[in-house]
Amino acid sequence: MTIQWFPGHMAKARRQVTEKLKLIDIVYELVDARIPVSSRNPMIDEIISNKPRIILLNKADMADAKVTREWLDYFNLPGSSTKAIAIDSQTGKGIQQIATLSKELLKEKFDKMQSRGIRPRAIRALIVGIPNVGKSTLINRLAKKNIAQTGDRPGVTKAQQWVKVGKELELLDTPGILWPKFEDQEVGYRLATTGAIKDTIINLQDIAVFALRFLTDAYPERLKDRYGLEEIPEDIVELFDAIGSKRGCKMSGGHIDYDKTAELVIREIRSEKLGKISLERPEKL
Ligand code: G4P
């Protein structure tokens, strides 16, 4: 589901997250491991401000493991109250680290509470992230049952409920939904390449041009292997022609069908036919 964000929606989403922050000890910021910056909300630091936070690089199963390690080093700065871990919410890989790390980050606060005679309680957490990043999948995985409605919308209010994750952790059952940074065209293309935003919002051929240029630069061998290319043509139209003709994307009369070629390339990237790909690296920031 893609939400069309307007200034009113953004303000409302921000208000809703800010309200929820009052109830919790720690924030789990879910990002897509393939695009950890483009899948972040541009105002996240300001919105979360002084809460401890764990950045969860979700969908790590689809990302380039080497690049994910670079991102973990980038985010896990020593001494910072923000930490990052890589997870796969669909299978649950890595998610057991969430509770352990939360306890570490909150130890001081909870020890203080205890020394003041406050009865020990579970850590309370909120999951936030842009649409499609996997928030509902993670809540369900942590809760080991079906709780979060995939595709719930900002603006739909209902009573807040806590979801128990073992004895020591509780999650708010509705995640905080935030908007991505659309002003930047590259960010839009990266989000579109991973399927985080609807294909109708950005022209499919434009997404494929972006993706093919990226692959030419970052993963040339995989591009050559997948489409049986000896060399990658520099000219993007020639590259479309080469892929389209190899894969039979033609119109009547034999001309290359660029829409079909674009659709094929995007579909194959998303279904990992070109392997595990990360579209952003920390060194390029
Ligand atoms: P949201 O609440 O943040 O909006 O996201 P949601 O959980 O609905 O997840 C969006 C899509 O991402 C879902 O696919 C979900 O299965 C997939 N997903 C979530 N976490 C992971 C992960 O760690 N690894 C992988 N590979 N996929 C993950 P879907 O229901 O099939 O939707 P779609 O593919 O049709 O968009």
Side-chain angles (χ1 to χ4, degrees):
M1 181 206 48
T2 304
I3 300 168
Q4 295 275 10
W5 294 95
F6 300 105
H9 287 131
M10 294 184 186
K12 192 164 186 176
R14 183 179 179 154
R15 242 185 348 260
Q16 286 181 335
V17 169
T18 308
E19 275 304 304
K20 289 177 183 185
L21 286 176
K22 292 181 190 153
L23 307 171
I24 53 111
D25 303 300
I26 188 163
V27 176
Y28 301 147
E29 183 197 352
L30 214 55
V31 300
D32 186 319
R34 297 167 293 175
I35 46 169
V37 172
S38 294
S39 59
R40 288 186 107 179
N41 173 276
M43 298 175 79
I44 192 76
D45 291 339
E46 205 186 302
I47 295 172
I48 306 298
S49 64
N50 53 1
K51 290 275 174 190
R53 191 187 336 170
I54 303 179
I55 298 170
L56 301 173
L57 300 169
N58 193 39
K59 308 195 187 186
D61 56 304
M62 300 176 90
D64 184 331
K66 185 169 163 272
V67 180
T68 300
R69 279 194 297 278
E70 291 172 11
W71 281 115
L72 290 173
D73 290 342
Y74 174 85
F75 285 122
N76 281 318
L77 292 174
S80 156
S81 66
T82 299
K83 296 281 171 216
I85 48 183
I87 61 167
D88 166 3
S89 296
Q90 236 171 20
T91 64
K93 195 168 173 221
I95 66 168
Q96 69 291 344
Q97 297 172 75
I98 297 173
T100 319
L101 192 55
S102 304
K103 276 199 277 183
E104 263 171 47
L105 285 172
L106 289 164
K107 188 175 180 319
E108 213 175 302
K109 175 177 174 178
F110 276 66
D111 283 352
K112 242 186 218 160
M113 278 162 58
Q114 213 171 351
S115 69
R116 286 198 210 118
I118 300 170
R119 211 153 51 91
R121 60 163 173 81
I123 291 172
R124 292 181 184 144
L126 169 69
I127 291 176
V128 302
I130 66 167
N132 262 314
V133 76
K135 299 178 295 299
S136 311
T137 309
L138 177 61
I139 294 177
N140 289 330
R141 179 56 61 181
L142 285 169
K144 300 198 178 87
K145 53 187 167 190
N146 243 2
I147 292 181
Q149 293 279 317
T150 37
D152 75 356
R153 262 171 256 164
V156 180
T157 44
K158 65 168 187 134
Q160 295 289 354
Q161 288 189 17
W162 297 99
V163 176
K164 284 205 180 305
V165 183
K167 284 203 184 91
E168 294 169 305
L169 184 62
E170 286 177 355
L171 286 178
L172 273 181
D173 69 340
T174 47
I177 305 174
L178 291 167
W179 62 97
K181 182 177 166 187
F182 323 91
E183 316 84 72
D184 184 326
Q185 211 182 25
E186 289 247 320
V187 169
Y189 284 136
R190 288 190 198 111
L191 287 164
T193 304
T194 60
I197 56 178
K198 258 205 184 121
D199 291 338
T200 46
I201 293 176
I202 306 183
N203 176 288
L204 208 58
Q205 282 189 29
D206 290 345
I207 305 170
V209 166
F210 167 83
L212 286 171
R213 287 203 169 119
F214 169 78
L215 290 169
T216 302
D217 184 35
Y219 298 97
E221 292 311 315
R222 297 201 205 170
L223 189 58
K224 283 194 219 164
D225 284 354
R226 180 72 197 164
Y227 300 112
L229 310 170
E230 297 226 329
E231 285 308 320
I232 302 173
E234 260 178 50
D235 184 88
I236 194 73
V237 179
E238 282 178 31
L239 180 54
F240 265 72
D241 284 339
I243 295 173
S245 100
K246 283 268 179 195
R247 300 300 290 272
C249 302
K250 292 191 180 156
M251 297 190 284
S252 52
H255 292 295
I256 297 298
D257 185 332
Y258 295 118
D259 276 335
K260 221 174 177 176
T261 310
E263 211 254 348
L264 173 114
V265 168
I266 298 298
R267 184 164 24 92
E268 296 204 336
I269 292 172
R270 288 183 190 159
S271 57
E272 297 176 64
K273 297 285 190 305
L274 287 103
K276 297 181 188 300
I277 283 170
S278 294
L279 292 151
E280 275 174 346
R281 292 183 89 129
E283 69 183 30
K284 304 243 165 161
L285 290 179

